[in-house]
């Protein structure tokens, strides 16, 4: 077989290998995970009422960390799963600000009374406006915000003891956060 | 019976009206809005545009797009605004940049490659050798053909 023929015949094999590589990668990646476009940017400007007190207004000036900005709602089943973890973190001195996302105020307040309140403050985003500006596409989501109010990381999905230890805790320390 | 069908038609009419909740003072804006929500992809639902999706987030994005159109923003500006928040995922028209070059040019490159290979093969192929038949055989065939004709 001549050299060019060998080359020609190996083309399909090569194409197969390249495609196989990408398909294999696609198998192991979760297509529902979107990268955040807000990393290394400031928390977008907003003025929204506090969940606990409708007359108290909260703005981006109040979201300076190091803190966790946790997007949650009473309609979100996964949020119930991570709630005990947040309670634990809060007990250990991690500052958590809640973004109560597209929820009903009374229901949210009752929920916190019943399940414990890990949040130092809760932003009441009834229409999902701040959520949209943050690129939130579901709950729960957790943003790591540094002392300047810059978003350092976004975690989509439940915070578990495992991913806190392995993923979020190192990032938390990296941006100067203290705690357990 | 006729009344029944008529009442059915009325039900359909009202159902449609509730879907179409966005009202515009000018036709051009409405057209632009329709085009826009057809091209924005719902971040929550993988493969649906926000026009088709009933997800809460799709409605939020539609509401925001509606507001921005009425503020006089162009469709391009609004798409940019959404990409700023949700990334390239949100648009069904991926932007041209190094990581999407394969997507944009891949098919053309592969097609040209195939054409080039086919052409090379065609040009390299040897012309078929002329068929030579000796006189005796030729005569035999002619006779057979003649027989068939008769």
């Amino acid at each position: 077989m001549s050299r060019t023929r060998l080359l020609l015949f190996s083309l399909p094999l090569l194409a197969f290998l390249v495609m196989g590589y990408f398909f294999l990668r696609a198998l192991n990646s979760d297509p529902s995970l979107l990268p955040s476009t807000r990393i290394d940017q400031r928390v977008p400007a907003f003025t929204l009422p506090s969940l606990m007190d409708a007359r108290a207004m909260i703005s981006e000036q109040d979201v300076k960390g190091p803190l966790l900005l946790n997007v949650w709602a009473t309609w979100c089943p996964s949020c119930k799963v991570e709630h005990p973890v947040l309670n634990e973190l809060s007990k250990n001195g991690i500052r958590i600000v809640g973004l109560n996302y597209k929820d009903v105020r009374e229901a949210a307040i009752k929920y916190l009374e019943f399940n414990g309140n890990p949040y130092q403050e809760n932003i009441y985003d009834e229409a999902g406006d701040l959520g949209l500006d943050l690129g939130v596409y579901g709950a729960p989501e957790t943003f790591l915000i540094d002392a300047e109010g810059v978003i350092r990381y976004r975690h989509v999905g439940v915070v578990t003891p495992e991913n806190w230890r392995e993923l979020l805790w190192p990032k938390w320390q990296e941006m100067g956060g203290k705690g357990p | 019976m006729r009344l029944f069908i008529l009442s059915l038609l009325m039900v359909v009419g009202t159902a449609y009206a509730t879907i179409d909740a966005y009202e515009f003072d000018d036709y051009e804006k409405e057209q632009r809005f329709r085009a826009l929500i057809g091209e924005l992809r719902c971040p929550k639902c993988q493969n649906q545009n926000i026009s088709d999706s009933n997800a809460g987030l799709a409605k939020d994005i539609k509401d925001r797009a509606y507001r921005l159109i009425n503020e006089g923003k162009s469709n391009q500006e609004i798409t940019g605004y959404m990409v700023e928040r949700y990334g390239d995922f949100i648009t069904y028209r991926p932007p041209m940049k190094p990581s999407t070059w394969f997507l944009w040019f891949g098919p053309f490159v592969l097609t040209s490659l195939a054409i080039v290979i086919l052409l090379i093969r065609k040009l390299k192929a040897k012309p078929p050798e002329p068929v030579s038949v000796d006189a005796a055989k030729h005569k035999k065939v002619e006779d057979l053909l003649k027989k068939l004709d008769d």
Side-chain angles (χ1 to χ4, degrees):
Chain A
M1 210 189 276
S2 73
R3 238 200 168 140
T4 45
R5 285 203 87 132
L6 198 70
L7 204 74
L8 269 181
F9 279 122
S10 61
L11 264 181
L13 184 70
L14 202 72
F16 168 78
L17 286 177
V18 169
M19 280 162 75
Y21 168 73
F22 282 108
F23 286 144
L24 211 66
R25 249 180 43 156
L27 267 184
N28 294 324
S29 78
D30 181 354
S32 65
L33 283 185
L34 301 187
S36 173
T37 57
R38 289 305 198 196
I39 304 301
D40 291 337
Q41 293 182 25
R42 276 172 195 288
V43 173
F46 72 94
T47 312
L48 286 167
S50 156
L51 174 70
M52 294 303 183
D53 178 4
R55 285 160 307 173
M57 297 309 265
I58 306 173
S59 80
E60 73 280 1
Q61 294 301 322
D62 304 309
V63 192
K64 290 203 168 139
L67 59 82
L68 300 179
L69 180 65
N70 177 250
V71 183
W72 69 283
T74 56
W75 49 259
C76 148
S78 317
C79 299
K80 289 197 177 70
V81 176
E82 76 173 3
H83 202 84
V85 183
L86 298 181
N87 280 336
E88 196 61 33
L89 289 175
S90 162
K91 239 180 257 161
N92 284 306
I94 307 286
R95 199 176 146 211
I96 308 175
V97 170
L99 175 60
N100 183 236
Y101 180 61
K102 296 175 69 122
D103 209 347
V104 178
R105 191 189 290 271
E106 292 71 33
I109 292 174
K110 254 192 205 133
Y111 176 96
L112 292 180
E113 278 168 6
F114 190 77
N115 295 299
N117 185 354
Y119 304 109
Q120 193 179 53
E121 181 58 87
N122 247 303
I123 305 159
Y124 184 58
D125 189 10
E126 189 180 12
D129 281 328
L130 177 56
L132 199 147
D133 284 333
L134 279 168
V136 168
Y137 64 101
E141 283 185 23
T142 304
F143 293 85
L144 270 65
I145 318 268
D146 74 7
E148 268 81 55
V150 175
I151 299 166
R152 287 298 174 200
Y153 188 72
R154 169 172 77 170
H155 178 74
V156 175
V158 175
V159 175
T160 63
E162 291 75 41
N163 61 34
W164 169 261
R165 207 169 41 235
E166 276 150 33
L167 194 72
L168 297 171
W169 170 240
K171 307 241 182 230
W172 175 260
Q173 279 181 311
E174 215 171 273
M175 62 177 210
K178 292 180 181 63
Chain B
M1 188 62 199
R2 189 176 288 177
L3 202 70
F4 176 68
I5 292 175
L6 259 175
S7 60
L8 267 187
L9 281 176
M10 282 165 77
V11 169
V12 170
T14 48
Y16 186 70
T18 49
I19 293 168
D20 243 17
Y22 298 95
E23 280 175 26
F24 290 88
D25 48 10
D26 119 41
Y27 182 67
E28 182 263 350
K29 277 183 184 163
E30 185 174 341
Q31 291 300 100
R32 278 210 290 126
F33 181 69
R34 284 190 189 289
L36 186 68
I37 63 175
E39 274 180 18
L40 288 178
R41 180 175 176 188
C42 167
K44 186 74 200 161
C45 19
Q46 293 298 311
N47 242 327
Q48 230 181 356
N49 58 26
I50 58 167
S51 161
D52 283 344
S53 173
N54 286 321
L57 180 59
K59 190 182 172 295
D60 292 352
I61 295 172
K62 271 187 276 193
D63 287 349
R64 190 67 70 98
Y66 178 72
R67 204 182 81 196
L68 291 170
I69 278 193
N70 282 319
E71 280 172 11
K73 296 272 193 304
S74 75
N75 278 19
Q76 207 184 344
E77 281 170 327
I78 300 171
T79 305
Y81 179 97
M82 295 303 174
V83 168
E84 210 178 284
R85 283 156 180 74
Y86 286 99
D88 293 336
F89 185 92
I90 200 165
T91 169
Y92 272 115
R93 293 178 185 277
M96 221 176 290
K97 56 186 189 184
S99 64
T100 61
W101 279 351
F102 184 71
L103 201 63
W104 279 100
F105 305 118
F108 300 107
V109 171
L110 288 179
T111 313
S112 328
L113 204 69
I115 290 174
V116 168
I117 289 174
L118 282 177
L119 275 179
I120 289 176
R121 283 180 62 118
K122 190 95 187 154
L123 290 177
K124 269 196 165 170
K126 294 187 188 106
E129 288 187 15
V131 185
S132 60
V133 183
D134 59 69
K137 273 191 182 151
H138 194 83
K139 180 86 177 41
K140 208 172 172 185
V141 172
E142 292 274 287
D143 287 347
L144 277 172
L145 279 173
K146 213 173 245 168
K147 236 184 219 166
L148 265 178
D149 281 343
D150 296 338

